[in-house]
Amino acid sequence: MKLLIAVIQGEDAAATVQALSGAGISVTKLSSSGGFLQQGNATLMIGVDNDRVENAMALLRENCRERSQYMTPMPPMVEPGEFFMPYPVEVQVGGATVFVVDVERFEKL
Ligand code: 2BA
């Protein structure tokens, strides 16, 4: 068995959870936020038998889209008389960041 830990964008979470559940794949959604953008995203915990990992990955691929987001960098320390104009920077946020982890033991008590 494997545990897929998938960080996805909040906008894709409902459709992705629905697609996984509809395919009979159990999923738990956690609210999370990215360290770089400091914006909300979603983390899915998906426990699957080895032979369904590619099935789950395909559903993530189908439902999670890459998007552009803009962030305004933190202003640096400026000396008196200096001037800093913060410009928004475009950042590509991927469809999904997926960790595939071996599950040593799985029990429902
Ligand atoms: P964030 O950390 O908010 O990152 C959002 C996007 O910002 C990233 O998209 C990447 O394009 C960019 N980015 C991140 N760190 C950067 C840096 N130091 N310099 C320049 N650009 C940077 P993704 O790579 O698609 O990641 C989307 C979200 O997935 C991340 O949100 C984070 O929550 C999670 N993630 C990505 N890689 C991870 C990792 N190795 N470990 C844990 N979580 C990860």
Side-chain angles (χ1 to χ4, degrees), residues 5 23 40 49 65 79 100:
I5 303 169
D49 288 329
R65 291 195 297 115
E79 298 293 327
V100 182

Side-chain angles (χ1 to χ4, degrees), residues 8 10 13-14 17 27-31 41-45:
I8 68 171
V17 167
V27 55
T28 297
K29 178 169 84 74
L30 308 171
S31 295
N41 53 26
T43 299
L44 305 183
M45 292 199 323

Side-chain angles (χ1 to χ4, degrees), residues 6-106:
V7 184
I8 68 171
Q9 294 181 57
E11 295 94 318
D12 296 325
T16 307
V17 167
Q18 212 172 358
L20 289 162
S21 298
I25 297 174
S26 295
V27 55
T28 297
K29 178 169 84 74
L30 308 171
S31 295
S32 49
S33 54
F36 187 68
L37 294 178
Q38 309 254 313
Q39 286 176 10
N41 53 26
T43 299
L44 305 183
M45 292 199 323
I46 307 161
V48 277
D49 288 329
N50 292 0
D51 61 356
R52 297 216 64 191
V53 170
E54 289 314 316
N55 189 188
M57 292 293 282
L59 292 170
L60 289 170
R61 252 183 230 109
E62 274 168 34
N63 288 280
C64 301
R65 291 195 297 115
E66 187 178 74
R67 294 185 183 85
S68 296
Q69 290 203 21
Y70 288 87
M71 70 168 300
T72 306
M74 289 286 287
M77 297 288 283
V78 290
E79 298 293 327
E82 285 183 345
F83 179 71
F84 174 75
M85 175 67 82
Y87 288 104
V89 178
E90 186 176 0
V91 176
Q92 292 295 323
V93 184
T97 300
V98 188
F99 302 86
V100 182
V101 182
D102 282 325
V103 175
E104 195 175 295
R105 180 170 164 169
F106 171 72

